[in-house]
Amino acid sequence: MQIRIAGIVEDSIVDGRGIRMAVFVQGCPHHCPGCHNPQTHDFAGGTLDDTDRIFEAFRENPLYRGITFSGGEPFCQPKPLKALADRVHGIKKDVTVYTGWTYEALCAMHDPDVDALLSVCDVLVDGPFIEAQRDPELLFRGSANQRLIDMNRTRERGEVTLLELNW
């Protein structure tokens, strides 16, 4: 399945727990002031890639704990990312997704494709980047308003449950 990406970072340790492959999708409607990746905003930018190719590259590294979808805005391309996430879960690895929307806003969209991608997230980092709340000391997020949501527990409990970082 085709996906428009800005790039891929292999062996990332800043885009979620453990060693990860980070896939930066192209296209973002949020345009957060101070965004770390403004080159990903243009929906016509980046390059087309194939989720099968990305998965094969991911699978080649046994050290990966999981894959991270960042951007850009991953929920603007939910179908190919859901397909890729399913394959990653198939080899018992986890999926982290960054979004400029809040979890509640994503749920309120009532979009089956958005819901499908949410259903395969293990960790969701939600909320826009707010430059006034920027904090470089935070783990895996850029501003204090952003949450690290444990999506498996959130689904079990029926309420937003933050990720407990037990190192």
Side-chain angles (χ1 to χ4, degrees), residues 95-111:
V95 176
T96 294
V97 181
Y98 284 77
T99 180
W101 283 297
T102 63
Y103 171 70
E104 294 80 5
L106 290 168
C107 291
M109 290 178 183
H110 302 292
D111 180 319

Side-chain angles (χ1 to χ4, degrees), residues 4 6 25-30 39-45 71-74 76-77:
R4 185 166 291 279
V25 299
Q26 185 69 36
C28 183
H30 306 297
Q39 71 280 6
T40 67
H41 293 179
D42 182 2
F43 282 91
E73 174 54 62
C76 289
Q77 297 188 69

Side-chain angles (χ1 to χ4, degrees), residues 44-104:
T47 59
L48 283 176
D49 207 334
D50 186 80
T51 56
D52 289 337
R53 189 208 66 76
I54 295 169
F55 176 73
E56 291 305 323
F58 173 81
R59 189 168 62 172
E60 287 178 7
N61 188 337
L63 298 179
Y64 285 148
R65 174 178 177 152
I67 196 165
T68 296
F69 303 145
S70 192
E73 174 54 62
F75 284 93
C76 289
Q77 297 188 69
K79 281 184 182 182
L81 292 176
K82 162 65 162 82
L84 183 52
D86 285 340
R87 295 192 69 191
V88 168
H89 277 158
I91 60 170
K92 310 292 188 226
K93 305 290 184 170
D94 68 55
V95 176
T96 294
V97 181
Y98 284 77
T99 180
W101 283 297
T102 63
Y103 171 70
E104 294 80 5

